[in-house]
Amino acid sequence: MKLHTKIVLGLVLGAAAGIAANTLAAGALWVAWIGDNVAGPVGQIFLRMLLMTVIPLVFASITLGVAQLGDIRRVGRVGARTVVYFLLSTALSAIVGLTLVNLVRPGEGLAPDVREQLMATYRSQAEGMQAAGSTTFGIDLFVNIVPRNPVAAAAGLDMLGVIFFALVFGAALTMIPEEKARPMIRVLEALGEAIVKVIEIAMKLAPYGVFGLIFVVTSRFGWDLLRQLLAYVLVVLIGLFLYASVGLSALVRIFGGLNPLTFWKKAWTSVITGFSTSSSNATLPTNIAVAEKELKIPPKIAGFVLPLGATMNMNGTSLYEGVTVLFLAQVFGVDLSLGSQIIVVLLSVITAVGAAGVPGGSLPLIMVVLATVGVPPEAIAIILGVDRILDMCRTTLNVAGDLTAAAYVARTETDWDPRTVNRES
Ligand code: ASP
């Protein structure tokens, strides 16, 4: 059986087992025990195996990407193309989300007693998040991208800091004499290859890991909550589905030259990994492998665009942010004018760029957006209970969006030919 069939099987069986345990043996101690001692740890080991590759992978691939692109002007051009694509596709997805939420207005139907009950249940969690994420919009956001100490940035999983250091380091390698740069480049190539092997080993665990991760979420999930917030959840899911099937498919067709069906088929392993880990960072290793092996994108482009995309490009997240902010505004009766909604789009884009690629990474930033448009930030408590499921779904679009960006940049900056990939399938 092929690995990705096994992973899908793990996902389906894990979800079925979790939902069965949740409905048939709700609250039973043995279900919790299995979650804590078997399924949870297996899932965590898989997640950690992937995460432990992220820092060396990002460092090696970005440095090599920059060094191999050769001259610094070319790096600038590729970088600018990449970032412009990120920003435009992220804005497009936020607009899709806002349009839907304006049409359906799910916030107006939420009963006040449900609202109070949810606020009461999740308030302390929301307040904890607000205290931890003291993010405000300001010049610091940019200053903080430059790390004081690259080792500390790596140790703290500060991806933007590591990326910044790698970009400068890679650029510097192109500026010193070639015979001096060569040994460093060879070391990084070896590092990159070894890490790819580690990822292959980790992916062997994927079917079990995915089973465990999904089992834990579904066996503990409050499905009743989903019913209470059904309109909101549906707007998010329909928005994500529309954006994937129409928006991203059109983008990958127009800008990447790929047949959308071929694209989704080839991107499948990334989609499943994103779904089960809820983390763009944890999916990055798989995403690079998929780009290089399945889509045949040149490593220097995949290694440059995808690590940037894992932190900066979050299409699913920005759609979700737009829907959530407006939904909560509706719940609290705050009427947002067209002008405020445009601000929501802009802030959704900025915060999607700033959010960390970890489960729930965007939540603290959504609180900042809420506060900016005059909705109490603690309102986020209302949706915390259903967030994990929505996080799984939005992360799949975040990682698929990165692949579309890599296809676009490869097509415009190298001799990569999407037709050979189209023909193959
Ligand atoms: N979990 C998302 C990701 O890693 C971030 C978020 O929307 O919370 O891409």
Side-chain angles (χ1 to χ4, degrees):
M1 208 193 290
K2 271 203 179 152
L3 180 64
H4 85 213
T5 321
K6 276 200 203 161
I7 301 179
V8 177
L9 206 64
L11 185 77
V12 173
L13 291 179
I19 294 172
N22 195 319
T23 28
L24 302 177
L29 280 180
W30 64 269
V31 174
W33 190 91
I34 291 179
D36 289 341
N37 296 294
V38 187
V42 173
Q44 285 303 319
I45 289 173
F46 165 61
L47 203 61
R48 283 165 181 246
M49 288 277 287
L50 286 177
L51 282 174
M52 78 179 182
T53 66
V54 166
I55 290 292
L57 182 71
V58 168
F59 180 66
S61 56
I62 294 235
T63 308
L64 281 176
V66 172
Q68 283 162 353
L69 286 171
D71 83 90
I72 201 73
R73 260 169 313 190
R74 173 123 196 260
V75 176
R77 205 181 59 222
V78 174
R81 207 183 267 289
T82 308
V83 171
V84 168
Y85 181 90
F86 285 172
L87 295 179
L88 292 182
S89 59
T90 310
L92 181 68
S93 66
I95 292 171
V96 170
L98 279 184
T99 310
L100 268 181
V101 79
N102 274 307
L103 290 177
V104 182
R105 310 192 73 78
E108 287 171 2
L110 192 76
D113 56 323
V114 175
R115 178 180 103 183
E116 291 319 313
Q117 177 209 333
L118 289 171
M119 286 293 285
T121 318
Y122 292 97
R123 175 166 277 142
S124 61
Q125 207 177 325
E127 280 165 358
M129 256 168 35
Q130 195 173 21
S134 56
T135 334
T136 43
F137 292 112
I139 193 74
D140 280 358
L141 223 56
F142 295 97
V143 176
N144 288 340
I145 293 179
V146 185
R148 264 198 207 98
N149 171 349
V151 180
L157 270 181
D158 162 14
M159 295 279 281
L160 282 179
V162 175
I163 289 174
F164 185 85
F165 180 75
L167 285 173
V168 178
F169 189 73
L173 283 178
T174 66
M175 297 170 188
I176 61 176
E178 212 198 313
E179 79 275 6
K180 297 227 167 84
R182 208 176 304 124
M184 189 67 205
I185 289 182
R186 292 194 50 193
V187 168
L188 289 173
E189 279 170 348
L191 175 67
E193 270 190 41
I195 287 293
V196 167
K197 261 283 159 282
V198 177
I199 295 161
E200 272 173 32
I201 299 169
M203 286 309 283
K204 293 219 162 71
L205 266 181
Y208 314 99
V210 166
F211 180 99
L213 291 170
I214 296 294
F215 178 86
V216 172
V217 174
T218 48
S219 68
R220 292 188 185 157
F221 192 72
W223 295 99
D224 287 343
L225 204 57
L226 205 58
R227 215 169 311 127
Q228 288 170 337
L229 291 170
L230 195 63
Y232 160 74
V233 170
L234 284 180
V235 170
V236 174
L237 295 182
I238 292 172
L240 292 174
F241 180 76
L242 277 180
Y243 184 71
S245 56
V246 182
L248 271 184
S249 297
L251 289 178
V252 81
R253 164 100 263 172
I254 298 166
F255 292 100
L258 286 169
N259 175 337
L261 278 181
T262 311
F263 170 75
W264 287 109
K265 220 158 78 196
K266 303 232 171 223
W268 195 232
T269 314
S270 291
V271 169
I272 302 265
T273 313
F275 185 77
S276 50
T277 60
S278 289
S279 163
S280 294
N281 286 356
T283 312
L284 175 63
T286 317
N287 233 12
I288 292 188
V290 164
E292 292 178 4
K293 289 205 187 114
E294 301 285 334
L295 299 172
K296 309 282 186 295
I297 290 175
K300 65 177 179 221
I301 297 295
F304 179 81
V305 174
L306 294 173
L308 283 180
T311 17
M312 292 181 63
N313 186 38
M314 297 192 177
N315 290 189
T317 293
S318 80
L319 187 150
Y320 168 77
E321 288 187 19
V323 173
T324 303
V325 169
L326 240 77
F327 166 73
L328 293 174
Q330 289 165 0
V331 170
F332 281 81
V334 180
D335 206 12
L336 294 185
S337 62
L338 186 64
S340 314
Q341 298 209 17
I342 294 174
I343 293 180
V344 173
V345 172
L346 290 179
L347 294 182
S348 297
V349 173
I350 299 174
T351 48
V353 171
V358 298
S362 54
L363 294 177
L365 294 167
I366 293 181
M367 296 176 83
V368 182
V369 182
L370 287 172
T372 315
V373 296
V375 181
E378 318 79 72
I380 199 152
I382 292 182
I383 53 104
L384 280 185
V386 288
D387 185 64
R388 182 58 190 236
I389 299 264
L390 299 178
D391 197 1
M392 290 160 45
C393 299
R394 66 183 182 255
T395 307
T396 60
L397 289 208
N398 292 348
V399 300
D402 299 344
L403 287 175
T404 68
Y408 162 61
V409 177
R411 181 173 165 206
T412 46
E413 292 289 340
T414 67
D415 53 12
W416 175 72
D417 186 355
R419 279 170 305 184
T420 45
V421 182
N422 289 338
R423 235 178 280 130
E424 225 182 50
S425 62

